[in-house]
Amino acid sequence: MSTRKRRRIDLALQGGGAHGAFTWGVLDRLLEDERLEIDAISGTSAGAMNAVVLADGLMAGGRKTAREHLRRFWSRVSEAAAAGHALTALFGDWGGAPLAWYAEWVTRTLSPYQFNPLDINPLRTIVAAEIDFERVRCCDRMRVFVCATNVRSGQLREFRGAELSADAVMASACLPTLFRAVEIDGEAYWDGGYVANPSLLPLVTESSTHDLVLVQINPVFRQRLPTTAQEILDRLNEITFNASLVKELRTIALLKQLLKAEGLPAAAGRDSLFAQIDALRLHRIDCEEELAGLSAASKMNAAWPFVSRLHQIGREAADRWLERNFTHLGRRSTLALGA
């Protein structure tokens, strides 16, 4: 298909541990559709890993190769978890409630500087082995933004272009209760989900594409009130890791309302922030009902049957979204910001 006839989109990929396999399924389905072209992608934690694997695969051989690379990456993650190494952490399978409780007690009592003094992280080995960061840094198929939190300032850091590396990706996925902060150029970084999960701003301000598709993992709404200690902690984590995204969406909604009421300032050109936000069309691919039914502990379960199930759920969610919303790309938003 001619590139002129393709619909161009930007992607914003949330983090969520092993639930990132849902995003793998979404990407797998989107890459199948020749009518789409991905211009830019912003990712945090597992979303960042999916983003750089995708970029590497596109540069190595195009869409088919990108799909193969994503499958191979998640297969390697699952194999590492099956090996039983507890420090697989983000994607490890703790193997039952007693061990999970013990692991939680350790992380609440000791810091990773104490229980993991050598800073061993098998996931980093997989990232370094599976992703050619030279290709990622030279990627001309799409722009990539990886989000991390600066520990000292508490501010967002968006790694891009020549800054993309295994360290940047591991910084984006660094849960401070499990791993030591990742140091890059003298600065320490933690998981980007604390301040941007993911960051929408670079997609709004630095991409010429106006259709932004959010791939959301973490449930926003829960009908049932959490009452046990674990349920309360799980819900607090969900709210924390959605807070920055909710804030960005509310800001965009407010600016759109103001621009609609007042019109663009006379001095604002087509490349101004106001013009970019006015033209922005937002969309979302999620499967909140099924993902909300999964426990927070399952984010550390990378057993292949579970990962494969999430991949299939993601493919089906993307397929439904394409069927309902493809014709709206380039025309209007399908995500109701007011809601």
Side-chain angles (χ1 to χ4, degrees):
M1 177 180 287
S2 168
T3 55
R4 291 185 178 182
K5 295 181 179 179
R6 288 178 179 156
R7 303 287 173 87
R8 298 165 62 196
I9 61 172
D10 291 336
L11 292 173
L13 311 181
Q14 269 200 328
H19 291 187
F22 167 83
T23 302
W24 162 35
V26 170
L27 296 176
D28 193 39
R29 178 63 185 88
L30 296 182
L31 287 167
E32 270 187 349
D33 198 319
E34 295 283 347
R35 300 173 298 171
L36 295 173
E37 191 78 28
I38 302 170
D39 262 10
I41 190 165
S42 173
T44 295
S45 195
M49 293 179 190
N50 279 317
V52 294
V53 173
L54 172 59
D56 181 30
L58 285 175
M59 290 297 289
R63 292 168 181 260
K64 182 179 178 181
T65 304
R67 293 179 63 203
E68 292 170 353
H69 280 211
L70 282 162
R71 174 170 287 275
R72 190 175 68 197
F73 174 79
W74 282 97
S75 296
R76 283 286 308 275
V77 167
S78 187
E79 288 168 7
H85 199 311
L87 290 177
T88 304
L90 283 182
F91 303 102
D93 184 351
W94 291 104
L99 189 54
W101 295 335
Y102 175 73
E104 183 177 344
W105 175 84
V106 169
T107 57
R108 291 184 181 279
T109 307
L110 303 174
S111 86
Y113 295 84
Q114 296 169 307
F115 69 76
N116 185 16
L118 298 180
D119 200 25
I120 298 171
N121 187 347
L123 188 56
R124 192 190 194 288
T125 303
I126 296 172
V127 167
E130 290 297 319
I131 302 167
D132 185 335
F133 280 94
E134 283 297 326
R135 279 200 297 249
V136 174
R137 286 188 283 269
C138 296
C139 183
D140 59 3
R141 301 286 297 268
M142 65 180 188
R143 301 189 66 179
V144 179
F145 304 92
V146 168
C147 310
T149 303
N150 185 302
V151 178
R152 293 181 176 86
S153 70
Q155 299 298 309
L156 169 65
R157 170 72 187 273
E158 294 159 347
F159 295 94
R160 67 191 73 197
E163 300 170 332
L164 294 170
S165 65
D167 281 341
V169 173
M170 297 314 298
S172 181
C174 179
L175 289 175
T177 58
L178 295 173
F179 298 114
R180 296 166 62 172
V182 177
E183 291 204 9
I184 301 174
D185 297 330
E187 287 293 341
Y189 296 95
W190 283 340
D191 194 300
Y194 295 110
V195 291
N197 195 18
S199 177
L200 306 183
L201 188 60
L203 302 178
V204 175
T205 61
E206 300 183 39
S207 173
S208 59
T209 297
H210 297 307
D211 283 287
L212 193 165
V213 181
L214 169 66
V215 182
Q216 191 162 358
I217 294 175
N218 299 310
V220 174
F221 182 80
R222 282 196 180 272
Q223 186 69 43
R224 183 175 175 274
L225 180 69
T227 55
T228 69
Q230 191 59 55
E231 287 174 346
I232 291 169
L233 286 173
D234 289 348
R235 185 57 180 152
L236 281 173
N237 282 331
E238 283 179 349
I239 292 171
T240 299
F241 281 100
N242 271 331
S244 58
L245 174 64
V246 171
K247 184 176 180 180
E248 276 197 272
L249 290 173
R250 284 178 174 171
T251 300
I252 290 171
L254 177 60
L255 287 172
K256 277 185 165 292
Q257 289 174 4
L258 290 172
L259 291 171
K260 185 177 181 180
E262 304 295 333
L264 283 170
R270 61 183 297 178
D271 295 326
S272 73
L273 176 59
F274 291 123
Q276 293 286 82
I277 289 177
D278 188 50
L280 183 65
R281 296 176 291 270
L282 283 164
H283 315 273
R284 177 169 62 191
I285 300 175
D286 66 350
C287 194
E288 188 150 304
E289 184 175 341
E290 289 197 60
L291 293 179
L294 302 175
S295 68
S298 67
K299 292 183 178 181
M300 290 186 174
N301 176 14
W304 186 247
F306 182 64
V307 167
S308 297
R309 176 188 165 205
L310 286 172
H311 167 264
Q312 186 60 35
I313 292 172
R315 278 189 58 88
E316 291 169 357
D319 194 58
R320 288 192 299 271
W321 181 82
L322 285 167
E323 184 177 350
R324 296 171 184 168
N325 298 309
F326 178 81
T327 57
H328 300 306
L329 291 175
R331 299 178 179 178
R332 68 173 183 86
S333 293
T334 58
L335 173 60
L337 287 176

